[in-house]
Amino acid sequence: MNKKERVKAVMRGETPDRAPAGFWFHYRPDYTVEQMVEAHLKLYRETDMDIIKVMQDYMYPVEGEIHCADDWYHIGVKGTDSEEFQKLAAVIRGIRSEAGDDVLIFQTMFGPFKAASIAFGDETLMKYSKEDPEAVAVGIRRIADGLEAWARAYLEAGADGIYYSAQFAEEGRFEKAEWEKLVRPYDLQILQVADRMEDKYNILHICGEPEYDFKTHVEWFGDYPADLVNWSVKDNGYSLEKGRQFFKKPILGGMNNKGNILKGPGEAIEKEAWQVLDSFGTRGFMLGADCTIQGEGIRLDYIRKAVETAHNYKK
């Protein structure tokens, strides 16, 4: 199997020829297209991982300002003809040109609610979500309409799928009914793009925010369309096996993103990865981390050690 075939086998719930693995981290937002392409290729080539997750830390160009509830009716996102989007698409094309067709490329996307949070601040977003949820829902839908077009254009530019960071179901943020009105419909609007296209895929990453200790209602996302599901085991106390039973879908993850994969040494990384695979198996499973690797001193040789352990694993 090549890398693409291996990951596709996992997404079908099968046992691949060897366990695939993938890890990622953030890049500087001031990178040029060429620098961003090269950074991704360096990670891919030096670690031998099985997918490329495009981590473009450029902010969505949300237009408008929020000074009162009525302002939510007039916001939006620039179109795919914008300079901002064209830069993102150029990165995908550059990576595809160099990496070839034997590996799946996933474009990271944050949801419309996250886009609003970044643009206007979480405090402002939550204030109006409580005071005038009708207005906020309209604004989030306007952002979602723009990001839906972005998702489609990412796939047309050469991405094989969307790596979707689903947030804002943290414990203590919203009641479920509030979340179902303000967040869920617009997550699904983006996820349905790849879900309805032939040979395109979704990886669902369920993520919490630091001000809520990264704890989230994992099970609120049970029916989201996804070919792989990922969440923070350590932060939510929600095991891989429990997730497999609940989601009934292939799983990505298993390793602490702030633990051995960041700090080393190699022997500890190998032991952790082996224990994950030994306890969970390789059917419908791709080794990864709870979330993006976060912290100072990220080392590619540590990531490579985890990938090698997965590739060499035998029960």
Side-chain angles (χ1 to χ4, degrees):
M1 289 181 171
N2 62 28
K3 295 176 185 296
K4 177 185 286 188
E5 292 167 341
R6 190 169 299 123
V7 175
K8 281 189 173 184
V10 167
M11 292 192 296
R12 291 193 300 267
E14 300 169 1
T15 302
D17 61 336
R18 63 186 190 184
F23 301 86
W24 25 84
F25 49 81
H26 293 284
Y27 299 98
R28 286 171 45 182
D30 61 349
Y31 274 179
T32 64
V33 168
E34 293 75 18
Q35 288 172 320
M36 193 67 82
V37 170
E38 185 52 39
H40 283 81
L41 291 172
K42 179 180 175 67
L43 171 63
Y44 173 62
R45 289 167 173 162
E46 293 192 16
T47 66
D48 196 33
M49 68 175 57
D50 293 276
I51 68 170
I52 297 176
K53 176 180 179 288
V54 185
M55 290 279 291
Q56 303 189 52
D57 288 320
Y58 308 134
M59 294 301 98
Y60 295 140
V62 175
E63 298 182 297
E65 296 182 357
I66 302 297
H67 301 290
C68 65
D70 187 63
D71 290 337
W72 288 98
Y73 293 89
H74 306 289
I75 63 173
V77 175
K78 290 184 181 179
T80 56
D81 58 346
S82 65
E83 180 181 350
E84 290 88 346
F85 179 84
Q86 289 302 314
K87 182 177 182 180
L88 298 166
V91 170
I92 294 173
R93 289 193 293 267
I95 293 172
R96 174 61 76 196
S97 175
E98 293 293 324
D101 294 324
D102 292 338
V103 60
L104 296 175
I105 296 174
F106 285 82
Q107 171 65 44
T108 303
M109 286 194 75
F110 296 93
F113 214 81
K114 179 66 172 180
S117 176
I118 293 171
F120 310 122
D122 190 71
E123 184 177 343
T124 296
L125 179 58
M126 290 303 296
K127 165 183 162 64
Y128 286 104
S129 293
K130 299 296 184 178
E131 293 179 1
D132 198 336
E134 297 291 341
V136 172
V138 171
I140 300 301
R141 185 179 70 243
R142 290 174 63 87
I143 294 174
D145 290 344
L147 294 184
E148 179 183 356
W150 281 44
R152 186 170 293 105
Y154 283 140
L155 300 174
E156 292 170 351
D160 297 288
I162 300 299
Y163 186 102
Y164 191 82
S165 183
Q167 300 169 289
F168 297 95
E170 296 93 347
E171 296 177 8
R173 184 186 286 274
F174 287 125
E175 296 296 325
K176 190 176 182 182
E178 295 175 300
W179 175 84
E180 288 177 337
K181 179 176 182 177
L182 291 174
V183 182
R184 172 186 162 85
Y186 311 109
D187 284 345
L188 296 178
Q189 185 176 342
I190 309 304
L191 287 163
Q192 57 85 27
V193 175
D195 193 51
R196 294 176 181 175
M197 294 177 70
E198 185 177 358
D199 207 26
K200 299 295 183 182
Y201 308 94
N202 286 316
I203 297 178
L204 174 65
H205 169 58
I206 301 167
C207 192
E209 294 283 5
E211 58 265 42
Y212 292 87
D213 298 322
F214 301 102
K215 294 185 182 299
T216 192
H217 292 282
V218 175
E219 294 183 345
W220 287 8
F221 300 92
D223 62 349
Y224 273 36
D227 299 283
L228 278 171
V229 184
N230 170 253
W231 67 92
S232 179
V233 171
K234 71 177 186 308
D235 291 314
N236 292 284
Y238 202 89
S239 71
L240 295 179
E241 189 56 47
K242 186 174 181 179
R244 172 180 275 171
Q245 293 172 1
F246 175 72
F247 287 103
K248 295 181 173 56
K249 292 177 179 178
I251 302 299
L252 162 68
M255 295 187 69
N256 183 340
N257 62 307
K258 299 176 183 177
N260 296 320
I261 194 71
L262 174 66
K263 303 171 184 176
E267 293 80 5
I269 295 169
E270 184 176 25
K271 181 179 179 180
E272 181 184 359
W274 189 276
Q275 288 175 337
V276 170
L277 292 162
D278 226 19
S279 64
F280 195 70
T282 60
R283 178 183 58 82
F285 181 67
M286 178 172 174
L287 185 70
D290 284 337
C291 191
T292 302
I293 300 174
Q294 298 174 27
E296 298 294 327
I298 295 171
R299 291 175 47 167
L300 298 191
D301 60 325
Y302 284 171
I303 296 174
R304 184 176 181 88
K305 173 58 73 173
V307 175
E308 285 179 344
T309 303
H311 288 174
N312 295 330
Y313 173 78
K314 300 292 182 184
K315 181 70 173 177

